[in-house]
Amino acid sequence: MNNSTPDNALSNTCPAVVIDSRRISPNDTDEVRAIRLGIADPAFRFQEGQTIGVLVPGPHAFGTKPHHRYYSIANARDKQAGDEIEIQIIVRRCFYIDEVSGEQFPGIASNYLCDAKSGDPITLTGPYKSVFNMPKTRDSNLLMIGSGTGIAPFRAFIQHIYSHHHGWDGKVRLFFGDKSGLDLLYMNDVDNDLANYYLEETFKAFQSISNKYVINASKALELTLEEYAAEAWSMLQDPKTYVFLAGTRKANDALDKILAQFAGSTEAWDAIRQKMKDENRWSELLYI
């Protein structure tokens, strides 16, 4: 995600505390953790699709200022919430390689959060306005396409429409790809997540799972789209369909590649997508 810090971010903070943190990815893959945060401030309110910022106190290797990183909120609002508000974020422990020295460095925010224990204080900023334009009518179709931890806001959407709206009349389709089975991180009964909605007539999820460690999340999404592209293309022909795209820019490239083939050319697909943007039926949250 974009890590640029708004001018007022450091002055608009909110204290939180780690309720629990647990690994949700297999031990032989990248570490991904679901982290629940408790917020005691009664003025804190959020909606599905919004993001929060996490401030990591300095000093750091490259400066002394707090490091600021954005994360999508991965849960729906709780109708029965009491004084404390809970949010969940999904964090992948990241590392990067210095292009000059070749040395590996830990990602500041991801390692800070993955190392946090129950009871640890965390300073938040936001929440920030959602880039996703959710339709107000229940007969709208929702086409959600994501890779990696970009699935987080979709989890909140699906929880919201089935738990709070008690169902959805339009089609709800999730196309998701990741490496080494990480795409199953929301498909378990223990978490009360997407698996519990499989019996809903309107909801289907499409994933591509690869046991090849060399494959990346964007390629896995491309495999998913290639296999089920006809379903996505059919929905795009319906003027009641809203598209939500989240994940890496490479995932966006994979989507363009597949759907341009159905449209007949890159130019034709660009025109279709632009029309949906003009009608506020296309929303995306992409990062490098």
Side-chain angles (χ1 to χ4, degrees):
M1 285 185 187
N2 180 7
N3 288 325
S4 61
T5 304
D7 293 337
N8 65 342
L10 300 185
S11 60
N12 182 26
T13 61
C14 176
V17 64
V18 176
I19 297 175
D20 59 52
S21 173
R22 61 191 181 84
R23 181 168 182 149
I24 56 175
S25 61
N27 290 330
D28 57 352
T29 66
D30 292 346
E31 180 181 359
V32 178
R33 304 190 72 85
I35 302 173
R36 282 198 305 146
L37 301 173
I39 302 167
D41 185 353
F44 185 92
R45 293 289 184 271
F46 73 91
Q47 292 184 333
E48 292 73 22
Q50 287 188 302
T51 59
I52 52 95
V54 173
L55 285 178
V56 184
H60 306 294
F62 303 103
T64 59
K65 293 183 178 180
H67 180 76
H68 194 220
R69 182 72 162 89
Y70 295 98
Y71 291 91
S72 295
I73 298 173
N75 62 294
R77 292 164 287 170
D78 186 355
K79 293 186 298 183
Q80 307 300 322
D83 294 334
E84 183 175 81
I85 297 169
E86 291 187 11
I87 64 172
Q88 186 179 95
I89 57 176
I90 306 300
V91 181
R92 185 196 301 266
R93 189 186 291 272
C94 297
F95 298 87
Y96 69 95
I97 305 296
D98 185 275
E99 295 181 355
V100 177
S101 67
E103 186 177 355
Q104 177 177 275
F105 292 93
I108 295 174
S110 68
N111 282 268
Y112 171 76
L113 289 168
C114 286
D115 290 338
K117 308 299 182 185
S118 177
D120 285 355
I122 302 290
T123 300
L124 306 180
T125 66
Y128 298 98
K129 183 179 179 180
S130 175
V131 300
F132 293 117
N133 298 310
M134 288 294 290
K136 299 184 183 301
T137 55
R138 287 173 50 123
D139 64 344
S140 300
N141 301 316
L142 309 182
L143 178 56
M144 297 173 285
I145 304 170
S147 62
T149 53
I151 195 177
F154 301 152
R155 175 184 187 266
F157 290 158
I158 293 170
Q159 281 186 349
H160 180 70
I161 64 176
Y162 287 110
S163 298
H164 293 245
H165 287 288
H166 305 293
W168 198 256
D169 298 327
K171 294 180 180 179
V172 181
R173 299 292 185 266
L174 171 63
F175 289 79
F176 182 63
D178 209 327
K179 59 182 179 180
S180 304
L182 180 59
D183 46 349
L184 296 179
L185 63 91
Y186 291 115
M187 305 297 173
N188 57 84
D189 292 309
V190 175
D191 286 334
N192 247 354
D193 285 327
L194 304 188
N196 291 320
Y197 302 124
Y198 278 172
L199 296 179
E200 295 281 352
E201 294 181 357
T202 56
F203 177 73
K204 290 183 182 179
F206 303 95
Q207 314 106 42
S208 177
I209 304 173
S210 174
N211 292 323
K212 298 178 181 179
Y213 285 15
V214 296
I215 198 171
N216 57 35
S218 300
K219 183 59 179 179
L221 176 60
E222 185 176 338
L223 293 174
T224 307
L225 290 168
E226 286 178 345
E227 187 173 358
Y228 302 107
E231 175 85 13
W233 182 251
S234 175
M235 289 183 67
L236 288 170
Q237 310 314 301
D238 190 334
K240 295 187 297 183
T241 294
Y242 289 70
V243 174
F244 307 94
L245 177 64
T248 65
R249 296 194 182 279
K250 289 183 178 179
N252 183 50
D253 294 341
L255 175 68
D256 286 342
K257 175 183 176 182
I258 300 301
L259 295 181
Q261 296 175 1
F262 273 81
S265 67
T266 300
E267 293 74 19
W269 165 238
D270 287 343
I272 293 172
R273 180 173 55 183
Q274 187 58 53
K275 183 175 185 294
M276 295 188 71
K277 288 182 177 180
D278 294 341
E279 296 172 350
N280 291 321
R281 295 191 293 116
W282 183 285
S283 308
E284 60 186 43
L285 180 62
L286 301 174
Y287 51 92
I288 298 174

